[in-house]
Amino acid sequence: MYTKKIQQDLKLIPLGGLGEVGRNMMLLEYGRAILIIDIGFRMPEEDMPGIDFIVPNISYLNGKQKNIVGIVFTHGHYDHIGAFPYLFKKIWTPGLEIFASPLTRGIILKRQEDFSGQPPLKITQVKDGSKVKLGPFQVEFFRQNHNIPDNLGLFIETPAGNIVHTSDFKFDPTPVNDLPTNFQKLEGFARRGVMLLMSDSTGAEEENHSLSEKTIEKNLEEIFQRAEGRIIAATFASLINRIQQIISLSEKYKRKVVVEGYSMKTNVEISKVLGYVKFKKGTIIKPREIDNYPDSRITVLCTGAQGEGSAVLMRITQKDHPYIRLKKGDSVILSSSVIPGNERTVQILKDDILRQGTKVFHYKMMDIHAGGHAQKEELKQMIKIIKPDFFIPIHGQYSMLAAHAEIAKEAGMPEKNVLIAENGQIIDLSSKKITVERTQVPSNYVMVDGLGIGDVGEVVLRDRQMLAKDGMFVIVVVVDKQTGKVKGSPDIISRGFVYLRESRGLLNETRKKVIEIVNKTAGSGGAVNWSYIKDEIRNKIGQFFFTKTHRRPMILPVVIEV
Ligand SMILES: [Zn+2]
């Protein structure tokens, strides 16, 4: 039990997930003790060429590793666990305690196998009703419906008051492989008194009630009833419920299932072992066996509903897959909502599929994907049940957080008790008020490119954007050391700027200008400042190109003294 006499504030520090979809990570700090909730990543934006993922900035934790009393994961979606392998080394200390439900744990451990040189990883399993004491925090886990099984909300007792963290959630009276929401439990939390509710905002801009997984299954079944050829169902590898529905329907309609895509196969494997995905022996077949069955007996379950370049559906559509080609009579199901920013890519993908005579079913036409997130009516209901003193909307773009704050006011919360917080803010909570400190902790994007974490910064990114936009232009000048004058004619290498063969005039003029610049600044002999000369070439040639072409290629001057 805690003693009330230590008058300390509870601090809440969101490092990601507020004002964005993805990269969820929240710190709770009391005294020195820090509890971490989720360590997720997000996908890059369209203007970030070459970036694989964006992870939270955890520099606030530098030197505080020993203060971390535990990490709890709410569920197995990558926007909640994805950044963990990239950041684990930086926060690990011997005895670090980590907690997750069986499925979440399975996904994290499996993924860890792809990362070498990691510290030993031990994750304690928790389930609905589990309680763990972590420093000044007592965390009680409770199940919440979502579109992945084994999703856990958190009831956290702290010396300053109790907190409810909803995780991602929806209220589902008829879920898949799961029990409906336990409203009595939520009411029980309210009776114990809740100082702060932090609730999922992803669906806050949607008016009504999220769809039950049962309704989605019905809509999917209509496609199965009507399809004559093969069904190719693309979804996220982490939408375990959708995977189960597609496999069950395939069994019902006597179709064999080919599972394609590394992450999809892995997740099916883990979920099968843990009992979250169930199917009969012989249902799943290998891709090369596909031709042993008539088209009407085949379902392909794969990744790539977002038009991801390397995913299976893209390879099938581009005729790049070793066993599967689209044909007339096939039905492609895109079962996932489009992540903001991916609309154009998905449109191109749909067009490419339709061109091959294949039908496309997308969630806009039918509700084959209900976001797994509570909408306005459910969010209001959650607030009314929990009756918190304070409310912070979490998980979502700023507009979603703002919509959720409105919902809280409609549910009767006084405006001063509702806080739209942002990443990097330090939020102080006492029983009387909620305030934001003036200083912030770093929470900017940390970008992952291949094996590099954080080494691609703003400068590299700006270079990539410039290269992507107007190309590059390399000028190689050979200069006589003795005289400081250019020898011969400068060499030019260019990519993505102009077609060299058709730009002789421009290139000749450029060469002339470069010779002029060098001879003028270095040609008088004596000590020469070469970096100044390079800057001159960059600036003057840059201006010249802009007046001639209205383009700004990246200019790389190379000076060789002989
Ligand atoms: Zn989720």
Side-chain angles (χ1 to χ4, degrees):
M1 282 309 289
Y2 60 87
T3 43
K4 259 261 158 81
K5 38 181 203 285
I6 319 166
Q7 263 305 326
Q8 244 171 345
D9 279 354
L10 174 71
K11 288 183 204 304
L12 222 72
I13 307 171
L15 292 182
L18 271 59
E20 62 185 334
V21 171
R23 210 169 64 114
N24 297 297
M25 182 170 182
M26 174 75 76
L27 309 181
L28 254 58
E29 191 171 8
Y30 186 84
R32 283 190 178 179
I34 296 171
L35 175 70
I36 300 176
I37 304 170
D38 289 336
I39 307 178
F41 70 37
R42 61 172 287 185
M43 295 295 163
E45 288 159 25
E46 275 183 333
D47 59 349
M48 297 179 177
I51 302 300
D52 301 326
F53 309 112
I54 306 165
V55 301
N57 183 331
I58 54 164
S59 53
Y60 178 73
L61 294 170
N62 283 348
K64 300 190 184 78
Q65 286 86 345
K66 286 215 156 54
N67 305 345
I68 301 171
V69 293
I71 304 173
V72 294
F73 289 104
T74 54
H75 64 292
H77 281 157
Y78 283 175
D79 51 341
H80 294 260
I81 61 165
F84 179 67
Y86 299 103
L87 305 179
F88 179 42
K89 251 190 205 168
K90 297 191 174 142
I91 48 181
W92 183 83
T93 49
L96 176 63
E97 296 213 75
I98 307 172
F99 301 87
S101 66
L103 180 62
T104 311
R105 178 177 179 270
I107 296 172
I108 295 172
L109 289 178
K110 180 76 192 167
R111 198 152 167 267
Q112 200 74 1
E113 291 170 10
D114 300 339
F115 292 78
S116 56
Q118 294 272 21
L121 176 56
K122 207 184 112 245
I123 303 176
T124 309
Q125 278 193 26
V126 284
K127 55 182 196 334
D128 183 39
S130 298
K131 286 179 195 169
V132 292
K133 179 97 178 99
L134 301 167
F137 308 104
Q138 166 153 299
V139 185
E140 186 175 335
F141 298 85
F142 62 97
R143 60 180 178 74
Q144 286 273 69
N145 293 128
H146 190 28
N147 47 19
I148 185 168
D150 245 5
N151 174 41
L152 296 171
L154 313 168
F155 180 82
I156 307 168
E157 289 177 53
T158 84
N162 299 333
I163 296 175
V164 169
H165 183 294
T166 62
S167 178
D168 283 351
F169 82 101
K170 64 174 173 180
F171 292 144
D172 192 343
T174 47
V176 167
N177 286 352
D178 201 359
L179 296 164
T181 306
N182 184 348
F183 287 104
Q184 273 142 12
K185 181 156 251 178
L186 297 178
E187 284 155 10
F189 293 148
R191 277 195 295 277
R192 286 153 76 181
V194 175
M195 172 178 62
L196 171 69
L197 171 65
M198 290 190 273
S199 185
D200 173 19
S201 310
T202 319
E205 289 178 296
E206 310 293 329
E207 272 311 313
N208 302 306
H209 194 290
S210 65
L211 283 181
S212 168
E213 295 290 312
K214 195 84 204 162
T215 314
I216 302 162
E217 190 162 317
K218 255 202 272 170
N219 290 327
L220 278 172
E221 179 153 12
E222 273 174 42
I223 302 174
F224 274 79
Q225 276 166 353
R226 275 186 275 155
E228 285 162 4
R230 298 174 305 177
I231 290 177
I232 296 159
T235 187
F236 287 125
S238 61
L239 285 180
I240 308 291
N241 290 358
R242 201 72 64 251
I243 292 171
Q244 174 70 72
Q245 288 162 333
I246 289 162
I247 295 178
S248 304
L249 284 169
S250 299
E251 288 182 332
K252 185 167 172 188
Y253 289 88
K254 305 203 163 35
R255 287 173 182 266
K256 299 286 179 191
V257 181
V258 177
V259 181
E260 273 292 86
Y262 177 71
S263 53
M264 183 71 86
K265 277 189 207 156
T266 319
N267 281 0
V268 169
E269 213 175 284
I270 299 166
S271 309
K272 164 89 176 156
V273 171
L274 295 170
Y276 291 101
V277 166
K278 301 182 180 96
F279 49 85
K280 296 183 199 122
K281 221 178 150 195
T283 297
I284 308 277
I285 60 164
K286 298 223 151 52
R288 64 180 134 78
E289 299 170 325
I290 201 165
D291 292 329
N292 303 347
Y293 301 87
D295 287 352
S296 59
R297 293 279 167 265
I298 291 291
T299 301
V300 177
L301 180 59
C302 64
T303 54
Q306 295 290 313
E308 304 97 310
S310 55
V312 177
L313 183 59
M314 193 58 113
R315 295 212 309 272
I316 294 175
T317 311
Q318 300 298 325
K319 305 186 170 69
D320 207 16
H321 192 278
Y323 300 104
I324 307 165
R325 292 274 180 285
L326 289 180
K327 50 186 172 186
K328 218 173 149 78
D330 287 348
S331 303
V332 172
I333 304 173
L334 302 177
S335 179
S336 77
S337 48
V338 181
I339 296 176
N342 282 354
E343 293 86 356
R344 225 168 55 90
T345 326
V346 174
Q347 182 60 49
I348 293 169
L349 174 72
K350 275 203 285 195
D351 291 348
D352 282 345
I353 297 170
L354 287 165
R355 258 187 210 114
Q356 301 181 43
T358 306
K359 287 197 197 91
V360 178
F361 296 90
H362 198 213
Y363 80 103
K364 272 189 187 138
M365 298 185 247
M366 295 177 90
D367 288 314
I368 43 186
H369 175 80
H373 302 274
Q375 300 184 1
K376 191 172 173 185
E377 290 313 313
E378 296 152 277
L379 295 172
K380 197 185 277 180
Q381 198 183 346
M382 179 62 103
I383 295 166
K384 284 187 167 166
I385 294 173
I386 297 291
K387 300 184 190 71
D389 298 329
F390 301 105
F391 177 72
I392 298 179
I394 54 171
H395 304 169
Q397 298 286 344
Y398 195 87
S399 66
M400 299 167 183
L401 305 181
H404 203 176
E406 281 306 314
I407 294 170
K409 286 175 218 163
E410 282 174 33
M413 294 206 61
E415 186 161 356
K416 64 176 180 19
N417 292 4
V418 176
L419 177 72
I420 304 177
E422 299 214 60
N423 293 335
Q425 287 182 335
I426 303 174
I427 301 149
D428 288 312
L429 269 163
S430 71
S431 53
K432 286 182 214 75
K433 59 183 195 309
I434 186 166
T435 48
V436 176
E437 288 185 17
R438 209 170 288 167
T439 52
Q440 292 210 357
V441 311
S443 64
N444 56 310
Y445 287 169
V446 172
M447 287 172 270
V448 177
D449 179 4
L451 293 176
I453 305 163
D455 58 341
V456 174
E458 289 299 313
V459 175
V460 176
L461 200 60
R462 220 180 308 125
D463 284 353
R464 287 185 187 178
Q465 286 162 352
M466 205 171 167
L467 286 170
K469 209 166 142 256
D470 287 325
M472 63 182 268
F473 198 91
V474 183
I475 305 165
V476 185
V477 203
V478 180
V479 180
D480 188 314
K481 224 188 253 173
Q482 307 296 322
T483 64
K485 299 235 190 262
V486 176
K487 282 184 82 171
S489 176
D491 266 336
I492 284 169
I493 307 159
S494 166
R495 290 287 181 276
F497 169 52
V498 290
Y499 188 47
L500 292 183
R501 273 191 212 166
E502 285 171 4
S503 315
R504 291 236 169 86
L506 181 76
L507 298 185
N508 285 337
E509 247 183 287
T510 308
R511 288 198 183 91
K512 233 192 275 164
K513 279 198 173 298
V514 171
I515 296 173
E516 253 172 53
I517 295 166
V518 177
N519 287 353
K520 203 171 131 209
T521 34
S524 51
V528 177
N529 183 346
W530 290 113
S531 70
Y532 171 74
I533 288 177
K534 283 188 200 165
D535 281 347
E536 279 287 290
I537 294 176
R538 210 175 284 125
N539 294 336
K540 295 231 162 93
I541 299 299
Q543 279 162 16
F544 171 65
F545 282 158
F546 189 72
T547 41
K548 290 281 177 189
T549 64
H550 276 235
R551 298 178 199 172
R552 295 185 191 280
M554 177 183 285
I555 298 167
L556 301 171
V558 179
V559 179
I560 302 167
E561 286 179 274
V562 292

